Amino acid sequence: PFRDHNPSDRTPFVTCALIVLNVLIFLTYWAELDNAWYMNALLTNWAMVPEFISQGYGQAGLLTSIFLHGGVMHLLGNMLFLYIFGDNIEDELGSAKFLGFYLGAGILANLAQYAIAPMSDVPVIGASGAVAGIMGAYLLLYPKARVDIILIFIIFFKIFTLRAWIVLGIWIAMQFLGGFGSDPETGGVAYWAHIGGFVAGMAMIYPRWRAKGSAHFGEQQMVYRPTQRLHTHLHNQGFQKYRAGRVGS
């Protein structure tokens, strides 16, 4: 996906601030991406390492890891999804509660990855667990929103418009397929962080969904005015460049 047709009523200050913050943090170590010693030290101190938590330390990584990314594509892919879906959830919750929602979803996503492989020494980084929480909330609140996806084949491209429940339903199904088809001990994409974040987001937004009229809420809230968002689709990649088994979420 590269845009939705579900404009928000207020400026998404926290969403924009989170994007800027993630980019600025990435730029602090971008020049050292090929420096294995530097990156290993960075990840040891700031990533979420399940083995460390099992040994009684490194809990701060549950939070700090969601602001680290393993490469430009990893960063931009996560920020694209945050930009598409984050403004509506911020609009619904308000800026302060949205920030707590985002951070909470990221922490719970990391805990889900930890629960699957508590003795893994593979560092976990990336904002996509937190972003997955936003996507889970979006699915519950705006299932009928229209989302544009772009299909590129060599020099040709085609834009399709699908309902959010289809786009996000396919995405979460792919995470389950990836999660059951891979070994979390060996690194790659942190599928269970994605799944955990998505489920956490749905659970945290559930009381508001119920209060607003549950299934009718998505229909009542739909405003089909085209937005001006236009992005290039960037695929979220795992962090495997510096050490075999590095995980990106």
Side-chain angles (χ1 to χ4, degrees), residues 19-203:
I19 292 172
V20 171
L21 180 60
N22 274 278
V23 171
L24 290 177
I25 290 174
F26 179 75
L27 290 176
T28 65
Y29 61 87
W30 183 29
E32 303 293 340
L33 288 175
D34 291 323
N35 185 334
W37 180 88
Y38 182 93
M39 293 306 301
N40 282 331
L42 178 73
L43 297 176
T44 297
N45 288 315
W46 302 108
M48 192 282 284
V49 183
E51 183 181 36
F52 292 173
I53 296 175
S54 293
Q55 293 175 359
Y57 63 97
Q59 291 85 354
L62 292 167
L63 176 63
T64 57
S65 63
I66 68 178
F67 295 98
L68 299 177
H69 292 86
V72 173
M73 299 297 282
H74 187 199
L75 171 70
L76 294 183
N78 282 340
M79 295 304 99
L80 170 61
F81 277 65
L82 175 56
Y83 185 72
I84 294 171
F85 300 112
D87 64 321
N88 296 109
I89 307 304
E90 182 175 352
D91 192 27
E92 176 62 30
L93 294 176
S95 295
K97 288 183 179 179
F98 173 74
L99 178 60
F101 179 95
Y102 178 88
L103 298 177
I107 292 171
L108 291 171
N110 275 329
L111 286 173
Q113 186 70 26
Y114 166 77
I116 293 296
M119 295 310 298
S120 172
D121 64 351
V122 178
V124 178
I125 60 172
S128 56
V131 176
I134 291 173
M135 294 163 67
Y138 194 100
L139 175 61
L140 204 57
L141 295 181
Y142 309 107
K144 297 182 180 181
R146 294 184 300 169
V147 178
D148 289 342
I149 62 174
I150 185 169
L151 180 64
I152 301 175
F153 181 72
I154 309 178
I155 62 173
F156 302 100
F157 68 91
K158 175 70 174 179
I159 296 175
F160 298 89
T161 301
L162 299 173
R163 298 296 187 185
W165 71 267
I166 298 175
V167 175
L168 298 177
I170 291 173
W171 183 86
I172 192 61
M174 291 174 62
Q175 306 314 302
F176 274 105
L177 288 174
F180 286 115
S182 62
D183 181 359
E185 298 277 358
T186 61
V189 177
Y191 292 109
W192 293 104
H194 298 175
I195 295 167
F198 194 89
V199 173
M202 294 187 74

